[in-house]
Amino acid sequence: MIDFSLFPSPCYILEEALLRKNLALIKDVADRAGVEIILAFKSFALWRTFPIFREYIHASTASSPDEARLALEEFGSKAHTYSPAYTEPDFPEIMRCSSHITFNSLAQYRRFYPLAKAHGGISCGIRVNPEYSEVGTDLYNPCAPGTRFGVMADQLPDTLPEGIEGFHCHCHCESSSYELERTLGHIEQKFSRWFSQIRWLNLGGGHLMTRKDYDVDHLVRLLQGLRSRYPHLRIILEPGSAFAWQTGVLASEVVDVVENKGIRTAILNVSFTCHMPDCLEMPYQPAVRGAEMGEAGPYVYRLGGNSCLSGDFIGFWSFDHELQPGERIVFEDMIHYTTVKTTMFNGIHHPAIGMWTQDHRAALLRQFTYEDYKNRMD
């Protein structure tokens, strides 16, 4: 059990033992299925924890020059890099820091492949769109009609252009192995006629294999079957959320309680728009320790952030007591897609980042200061 008194407030707190449990499961899947599973930085990039990751996996995926540099300098290996749009100023750094580069379109391939070929040592691929996804929220659906991601089968020539050694396909978001099974049917139907011309197939992210109800054995069988059908292909998965799923919390405090038109709002020392953006973008309703979602209980509060945005709140939570200023409010599962997406809007106090180690110590990884806020606009 985390001793919250040992951390500043507010603070993201990662539990090392839970992280290692996820990493061990992911490594087991990779070993049993004979595939490579790598970390997507877009979901989790706490680089001070990378020494732990390197005990279980060996590579990561990037979508920008800075992520690729982080892979090389802090993860210790070159990145598998994909971006919707490379630019001439950025591409030299992308090449320096990448082992694999995936192009989003044939136009991007024609523009940048000659540079990658001249650089040498980079395996290039193209992102493909199977025109199928079961992701229900368009904000997170990479295959929605009109998507800007990937090349469709009818846009590819019978013989792939020089240097295209792999296909990259991303269709999932916190999805199950059964969604992957149905997706693979579409991928193979549309693109398998080119599989003899490529060396690797990257199935992207969104494979939430560390969720309790995920059928891990079914995933292993799917991947083993895919490899048996195409034994020459190296199969790659690059989940983000699965690594950090339910490995930590965002600990906050009640600052004030206000009431308007019969609605009581507990104002916290964190912001949903700044520190938990998926709560407003999705909207995603997090679990709150010691509370139930809804208005059924005796003490009902709306939880409000401390920014000036009018919509910086999420809707009703029932507690078994009246909330008081200074009381701890703990948001569960707040390690993935949080620290990578936070802002310093309003200059409000930014949560610290800590880790509760497996030997029950409080390790403070980072605290933020006025200079961090000021230097973002320098």
Side-chain angles (χ1 to χ4, degrees):
M1 182 69 70
I2 298 172
D3 185 346
F4 292 107
S5 68
L6 299 177
F7 293 94
S9 178
C11 189
Y12 298 101
I13 305 172
L14 171 71
E15 292 194 58
E16 182 184 354
L18 297 178
L19 176 65
R20 287 184 178 275
K21 181 180 178 181
N22 283 358
L23 285 164
L25 184 150
I26 289 169
K27 183 179 186 302
D28 180 65
V29 169
D31 291 344
R32 289 164 59 197
V35 302
E36 184 173 9
I37 304 179
I38 62 182
L39 171 66
F41 283 171
K42 70 176 184 177
S43 173
F44 182 93
L46 295 182
W47 56 271
R48 292 185 187 275
T49 67
F50 288 173
I52 298 173
F53 276 77
R54 288 197 298 268
E55 296 178 31
Y56 301 87
I57 66 170
H58 306 293
S60 57
T61 179
S63 295
S64 65
D66 286 353
E67 282 189 341
R69 181 176 174 181
L70 191 71
L72 180 61
E73 295 185 358
E74 300 298 338
F75 207 88
S77 58
K78 291 187 175 183
H80 294 236
T81 302
Y82 160 79
S83 173
Y86 299 111
T87 65
E88 276 82 1
D90 287 346
F91 204 68
E93 182 73 345
I94 291 286
M95 291 190 295
R96 183 181 76 86
C97 300
S98 302
S99 61
H100 295 67
I101 294 178
T102 296
F103 300 106
N104 185 59
S105 68
L106 291 172
Q108 283 265 297
Y109 156 80
R110 288 189 290 268
R111 187 171 166 188
F112 291 104
Y113 172 68
L115 298 176
K117 180 182 179 181
H119 183 278
I122 299 171
S123 182
C124 292
I126 194 83
R127 178 161 177 167
V128 296
N129 176 10
E131 302 175 68
Y132 177 84
S133 174
E134 298 183 29
V135 177
T137 303
D138 281 350
L139 181 64
Y140 300 128
N141 184 354
C143 299
T147 181
R148 68 192 192 281
F149 296 134
V151 176
M152 293 183 292
D154 61 8
Q155 296 174 314
L156 285 175
D158 291 337
T159 301
L160 292 176
E162 175 195 359
I164 297 298
E165 297 183 342
F167 283 168
H168 178 122
C169 183
H170 178 71
C171 307
H172 299 103
C173 177
E174 298 186 358
S175 301
S176 72
S177 61
Y178 296 93
E179 289 166 85
L180 173 61
E181 183 173 33
R182 292 186 288 270
T183 302
L184 282 175
H186 288 263
I187 294 173
E188 291 186 66
Q189 178 185 9
K190 289 183 176 292
F191 294 101
S192 62
R193 66 189 181 100
W194 288 285
F195 282 3
S196 62
Q197 301 179 43
I198 60 174
R199 297 169 49 196
W200 50 266
L201 174 64
N202 186 325
L203 295 174
H207 312 280
L208 195 48
M209 62 191 75
T210 51
R211 187 173 56 199
K212 286 182 180 179
D213 64 349
Y214 194 97
D215 193 336
V216 172
D217 291 334
H218 180 246
L219 172 66
V220 171
R221 291 194 300 271
L222 277 181
L223 295 173
Q224 289 173 337
L226 183 64
R227 290 189 63 245
S228 69
R229 292 192 296 279
Y230 311 101
H232 71 288
L233 283 184
R234 176 186 174 199
I235 307 300
I236 305 164
L237 284 74
E238 49 178 45
S241 297
F243 284 97
W245 183 256
Q246 295 184 342
T247 60
V249 302
L250 175 56
S252 66
E253 294 179 7
V254 177
V255 177
D256 195 11
V257 177
V258 299
E259 186 167 346
N260 187 298
K261 300 290 185 180
I263 295 175
R264 287 190 296 179
T265 300
I267 301 178
L268 311 178
N269 65 345
V270 292
S271 162
F272 297 99
T273 188
C274 295
H275 309 139
M276 296 171 274
D278 279 353
C279 292
L280 301 184
E281 288 180 3
M282 181 71 167
Y284 157 73
Q285 296 293 299
V288 178
R289 189 169 297 185
E292 296 291 335
M293 191 183 304
E295 304 179 60
Y299 302 100
V300 176
Y301 298 86
R302 196 165 64 176
L303 300 180
N306 60 343
S307 81
C308 291
L309 177 69
S310 297
D312 190 1
F313 65 86
I314 57 172
F316 297 98
W317 295 88
S318 173
F319 294 81
D320 61 4
H321 62 280
E322 289 196 19
L323 298 183
Q324 302 295 327
E327 184 170 345
R328 188 80 65 171
I329 300 293
V330 177
F331 294 93
E332 307 283 7
D333 196 22
M334 279 292 159
I335 298 300
H336 58 95
Y337 282 109
T338 48
T339 54
V340 293
K341 295 178 74 172
T342 56
T343 73
M344 291 184 173
F345 169 63
N346 265 180
I348 63 175
H349 186 59
H350 208 62
I353 302 173
M355 182 167 68
W356 186 246
T357 68
Q358 60 181 351
D359 57 352
H360 311 296
R361 292 184 298 105
L364 192 59
L365 304 182
R366 178 68 193 273
Q367 280 189 290
F368 296 88
T369 66
Y370 164 73
E371 282 70 27
D372 293 304
Y373 167 70
K374 178 184 176 183
N375 290 340
R376 287 165 70 94
M377 292 162 284
D378 188 1

